């Protein structure tokens, strides 16, 4: 569960990125976080992952109180999250299998766990036959599927997807969003940041809209009506 209570964030140069944001995302939910460029979406993501610290307010992430977390605990908090980016961020010199192995070894998984888990997640994302490919031998949509598999491989409570379809064509974008929906239905909480209106409106999900560092609407089965 994610809980933000009256979160303020002022960057060192004086920019007030968040001006009192409160939100709660319960286990198992699927939420879109939408808003124009510069509205504060990335700042919220970075607060949740612990890359940025709040200037005011309280924040809880999957049982960790980020206001008082000790630095040594941050890696454990991060293991409760799987993060997906617009630019995939795969290791180009490693195959699909090796990218996933690398992520699992980083958290101390045994070879036996690795051999069991990777085929499961590759099957889930529809890439079972591409495990020996290098990222550059895959299409953009396939690379994003690998990134999703990597985010899932350590079984996080929640996935945060930051503009996951920003580099994909509309058909591939829809397929990726349907995959995220399927993963959510299997129990992983999903927070998807996007500014792609048409895509959001194809899914009847919770839509949290932010503008100028404030939440301007938060509706279940909502639409993204912002005119950019
Ligand atoms: P979004 O992800 O919605 O585009 P951001 O959270 O990146 O919005 O940015 C919100 C505001 O904070 C913007 O005005 C942006 O310029 C500013 N901002 C973001 N990161 C920094 C930073 N590291 N230093 C100063 N200002 C920043
Ligand atoms: P190492 O670098 O120690 O040889 P690898 O990362 O290559 O380990 O592989 C770890 C385990 O996963 C090994 O048992 C290996 O046989 C198995 N493995 C590696 N690649 C594949 C693959 N494409 N399909 C099935 N098993 C694989």
């Amino acid at each position: 569960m994610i809980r933000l209570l009256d979160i303020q964030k002022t960057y060192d140069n004086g920019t007030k990125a968040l001006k009192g944001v409160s939100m709660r995302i319960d286990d198992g939910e699927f939420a879109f976080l939408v808003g124009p460029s510069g509205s504060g979406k990335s700042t919220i993501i970075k607060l949740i992952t612990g890359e940025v610290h709040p200037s005011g307010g309280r924040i809880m992430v999957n049982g960790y109180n980020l206001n008082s977390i000790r630095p040594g605990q941050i890696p454990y908090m991060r293991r409760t999250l799987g993060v997906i980016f617009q630019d995939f961020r795969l290791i180009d010199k490693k195959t699909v299998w090796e990218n996933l192995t690398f992520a699992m070894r980083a958290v101390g998984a045994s070879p036996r766990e690795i051999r069991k888990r990777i085929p499961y997640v590759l099957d889930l994302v529809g890439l079972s036959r591409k495990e020996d490919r290098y990222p550059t031998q895959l299409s953009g949509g396939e690379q994003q599927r690998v990134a999703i598999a990597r985010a899932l491989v350590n079984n996080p409570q929640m996935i945060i997807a930051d503009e996951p379809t920003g580099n994909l064509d509309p058909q591939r974008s829809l397929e990726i969003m349907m995959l995220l929906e399927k993963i959510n239905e299997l129990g992983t909480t999903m927070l998807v940041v996007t500014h792609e209106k048409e895509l959001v409106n194809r899914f009847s999900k919770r839509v949290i809209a932010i503008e100028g560092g404030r939440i301007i609407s938060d509706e279940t089965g909502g639409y993204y009506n912002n005119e950019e």
Side-chain angles (χ1 to χ4, degrees), residues 81-113:
L81 304 170
V83 188
I84 301 163
F85 305 94
Q86 175 172 353
D87 56 1
F88 321 134
R89 302 195 192 178
L90 300 171
I91 303 170
D92 281 338
K93 286 187 178 146
K94 292 184 186 288
T95 63
V96 168
W97 182 277
E98 290 163 350
N99 266 276
L100 300 181
T101 301
F102 188 73
M104 289 191 76
R105 284 198 182 141
V107 303
S110 69
R112 187 192 175 132
E113 289 168 319

Side-chain angles (χ1 to χ4, degrees), residues 180-191:
L180 295 180
E181 184 179 46
K182 174 169 120 184
I183 290 164
N184 171 250
E185 283 163 2
L186 292 171
T188 310
T189 311
M190 197 67 66
L191 177 62

Side-chain angles (χ1 to χ4, degrees), residues 31-49:
F32 286 113
L33 177 61
V34 304
S37 181
S39 57
K41 303 183 299 295
S42 302
T43 300
I44 289 178
I45 298 299
K46 288 178 185 159
L47 281 161
I48 293 171
T49 60

Side-chain angles (χ1 to χ4, degrees), residues 138-174:
L138 299 172
S139 70
E142 287 172 334
Q143 288 185 54
Q144 193 58 297
R145 285 171 190 275
V146 178
I148 293 169
R150 180 182 56 187
L152 271 176
V153 87
N154 294 320
N155 204 17
Q157 290 179 48
M158 178 177 199
I159 285 194
I160 297 176
D162 192 356
E163 301 279 1
T165 62
N167 281 332
L168 304 177
D169 65 49
Q171 181 57 32
R172 252 31 77 189
S173 296
L174 182 60

